[in-house]
Amino acid sequence: MLQATGSHAGKTVLVAGLCRLLARRGLRVRPFKSQNMSLNAHVAADGGEMGWAQVMQAEAAGVPARVEMNPILLKPCAEARSQVILLGRVLREADAVGYYRLTPRLWPAVRRSYETLAREADVVVIEGAGSPAEPNLMRRDLANMRVARLARAPVLMVGDIDRGGVFASLLGTMILLPPADRRRVRGFLINKFRGDASLLRPAVRDLVRRTRTPVVGVVPFLPRLGLPEEDSVALDAAAPPARGGLRVAVVRLPHIANFTDFTPLEAEPGVDLVYAEEPTGLTDAGLVVLPGSKDTIADLRALKVRGFAAAPAAGSCSVSAAATRCSAARSRTRITSRAAARRPDSDCCRC
């Protein structure tokens, strides 16, 4: 099982790599992540929703994706509330307190899903969620050490060195874990490293001395993988340099849904894709896209507060885009011309 000191440490890609490596060795491999939080969902063959990450991992393993690989999907839909998807179907909306009250119903589904995959696989590669060392969450755990205990799985702890503070994060995680869970951690993986790995040797020796746990690998930073992101936090990364092509501006909504629909545009020659948080980001855009939202009313208010309501009328872009209806099953984006958007009967979102 791969766990990490926090979110966005690279567990998803590492699990996918292990799935492909083991599958190439002739083993029957299944990915598993009991609980995922993402607005980028995939519809499995049976019509159920699941996180895109386990779909990608299943493809790496050479098997069809199925909801048992991600039995719980949380889709944020309002401030401090999420839609709970259980085994591909909408269960209910809940805040944090309400969600944890669902634990007696959720955990049996997690256990059955894992056991189903384990019966048909030689190896189940498990991905944790967030950090396993949050003292306020340990007793309610559905995704990390409780799953490791269920599977009797050794744990590799991943740290993201690209963010800085990786050794403090790894050491702090080990200190906070209960002794039994600490013993389950068999090694550390330092992920997203840039530069000469030999420079890490003194820090690695100190970490091993303090924790009695080996650093089993240093994984280099892998740029331009072209894989969709689970979380809109990825949009905080610096935008790619402009290539002088058609500027496509996607309005960054607070509850943007399925923003990975726009990922192919990043690789399209002659297209510069940007995510606009302010109206000034629409300047010189040839196309403005208003994406799908998981909380339409809240995002409409946010657009007005930020001043987007008047931006298209100001003539800052030559083509405007209207988007979209977002349902529990999928979000679809339709692009219309400015002329169509001006028609009273056009199906456009008017701010």
Side-chain angles (χ1 to χ4, degrees):
M1 181 176 188
L2 268 65
Q3 298 182 22
T5 58
S7 298
H8 210 60
K11 300 184 302 296
T12 295
V13 173
L14 292 173
V15 167
L18 288 172
C19 286
R20 177 58 61 90
L21 177 67
L22 295 169
R24 284 178 172 172
R25 295 187 176 183
L27 297 173
R28 298 173 301 162
V29 186
R30 302 291 185 270
F32 181 71
K33 183 170 184 175
S34 61
Q35 173 191 287
N36 208 344
M37 177 175 281
S38 177
L39 281 175
N40 294 324
H42 175 86
V43 180
D46 65 356
E49 279 190 275
M50 59 185 294
W52 79 265
Q54 282 60 62
V55 177
M56 182 266 288
Q57 292 164 353
E59 183 176 353
V63 296
R66 43 198 283 202
V67 294
E68 287 86 357
M69 296 173 180
N70 175 212
I72 304 171
L73 174 62
L74 303 178
K75 303 179 73 173
C77 57
E79 293 301 323
R81 293 183 68 83
S82 292
Q83 186 180 60
V84 182
I85 312 291
L86 181 62
L87 291 172
R89 307 292 180 226
V90 177
L91 179 61
R92 56 172 290 185
E93 287 187 13
D95 59 12
V97 173
Y99 176 69
Y100 290 122
R101 286 174 179 162
L102 292 172
T103 299
R105 181 172 180 180
L106 299 175
W107 178 249
V110 170
R111 185 182 63 248
R112 288 194 303 269
S113 296
Y114 170 77
E115 290 172 348
T116 297
L117 297 175
R119 281 194 296 268
E120 62 191 43
D122 298 312
V123 181
V124 178
V125 185
I126 308 171
E127 179 182 347
S131 165
E134 305 290 347
N136 57 314
L137 300 178
M138 287 180 184
R139 289 185 301 167
R140 306 181 179 98
D141 178 32
L142 288 171
N144 289 303
M145 286 301 179
R146 189 175 183 183
V147 176
R149 291 191 292 270
L150 168 69
R152 298 180 180 177
V155 172
L156 292 178
M157 192 65 63
V158 180
D160 177 5
I161 196 171
D162 194 49
R163 290 184 173 183
V166 68
F167 292 101
S169 297
L170 290 169
L171 178 59
T173 296
M174 294 295 279
I175 291 173
L176 289 171
L177 286 174
D181 290 336
R182 197 180 307 152
R183 289 191 294 271
R184 196 172 290 280
V185 179
R186 304 298 173 81
F188 300 125
L189 274 175
I190 297 175
N191 198 25
K192 304 183 185 180
F193 180 73
R194 308 172 192 245
D196 182 357
S198 66
L199 299 176
L200 296 179
R201 287 173 185 163
V204 167
R205 284 196 296 268
D206 184 66
L207 180 66
V208 172
R209 178 181 63 82
R210 291 172 182 269
T211 63
R212 300 181 183 274
T213 305
V215 175
V216 298
V218 176
V219 182
F221 184 87
L222 301 175
R224 298 182 297 277
L225 286 176
L227 296 173
E229 296 283 354
E230 274 188 303
D231 196 316
S232 60
V233 68
L235 302 182
D236 294 332
R243 294 174 290 191
L246 173 69
R247 181 178 171 88
V248 177
V250 178
V251 178
R252 184 170 175 183
L253 304 175
H255 303 92
I256 188 171
N258 288 345
F259 64 88
T260 50
D261 289 350
F262 308 112
T263 301
L265 292 175
E266 296 178 2
E268 185 69 23
V271 173
D272 292 330
L273 180 68
V274 297
Y275 289 89
E277 298 197 49
E278 303 295 337
T280 54
L282 308 182
T283 303
D284 298 327
L287 191 70
V288 176
V289 181
L290 188 62
S293 167
K294 195 62 180 172
D295 192 341
T296 309
I297 301 301
D299 283 350
L300 182 60
R301 292 186 183 123
L303 290 178
K304 290 180 178 180
V305 168
R306 293 180 189 174
F308 277 102
S316 60
C317 55
S318 59
V319 179
S320 68
T324 72
R325 292 210 166 75
C326 183
S327 68
R330 66 187 61 187
S331 171
R332 297 181 180 180
T333 301
R334 266 181 311 135
I335 298 175
T336 64
S337 67
R338 171 173 288 178
R342 286 174 176 162
R343 292 200 300 268
D345 59 347
S346 66
D347 189 14
C348 121
C349 177
R350 296 181 178 275
C351 299

